């Protein structure tokens, strides 16, 4: 209503705020949709995908959130994952966002085959996990009181990983941070 009376800088700042809030809302809605799909019995449409590809895609989609923070990757180029690439990309996006919000750089992503299982780690160098039961972090609506969000990201991670027949854990990282 009063756009003409605002300076160009104020209009730009308000527009940026609107875009950021719209993106945050889109992430919340996406998480709710993915969680609902998985909880209602969605079977992942799996295919063989290079781990480098899905991790690279998640890093591209989180560039703005990471704001240029360093990311170290250790992913064998020949490592293939039998996953639903759209759902699993959401897992990685949520883990990267969480590590960025709560941790400190550098962010480290590592993937490796351990026998018949593929293990993917997303780690940071932040303050680590709070005392208590780390598994609770994957419950719906559990979040750090000082962090933005509604506490769905890690619940979505767990639901999608379990729908793929996997498990997810969280622990403090030697030398500081979480993994």
């Amino acid at each position: 209503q009063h756009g003409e009376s605002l300076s160009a800088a104020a209009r730009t700042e308000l527009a940026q705020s609107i875009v950021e809030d719209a993106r945050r809302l889109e992430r919340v809605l996406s998480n709710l949709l993915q969680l609902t799909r998985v909880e209602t019995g969605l079977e992942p449409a799996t295919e063989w995908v290079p781990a480098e590809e899905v991790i690279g895609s998640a890093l591209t989609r989180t560039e703005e959130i990471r704001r240029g923070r360093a990311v170290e990757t250790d992913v064998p180029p020949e490592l293939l994952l039998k996953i639903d690439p759209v759902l699993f990309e959401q897992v990685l996006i949520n883990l990267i966002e969480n590590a960025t919000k709560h941790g400190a750089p550098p962010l480290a992503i590592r993937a490796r085959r351990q026998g018949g299982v593929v293990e993917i780690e997303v780690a940071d160098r932040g303050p680590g996990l709070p005392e208590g039961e780390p598994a609770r972090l994957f419950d719906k609506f559990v979040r750090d009181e000082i962090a933005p969000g509604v506490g769905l990201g890690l619940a979505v991670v767990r639901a999608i990983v379990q729908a793929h027949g996997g498990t997810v854990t969280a622990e403090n990282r030697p030398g500081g941070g979480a993994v």
Side-chain angles (χ1 to χ4, degrees), residues 16-28 64:
Q16 287 173 335
S17 178
I18 291 167
V19 168
E20 287 173 17
D21 286 346
R23 286 187 178 137
R24 189 174 305 115
L25 181 59
E26 187 269 335
R27 286 193 303 273
V28 169
E64 192 169 315

Side-chain angles (χ1 to χ4, degrees), residues 161-178:
V161 169
Q162 287 177 341
H164 281 82
T167 59
V168 62
T169 60
E171 58 192 48
N172 283 316
R173 186 177 183 195

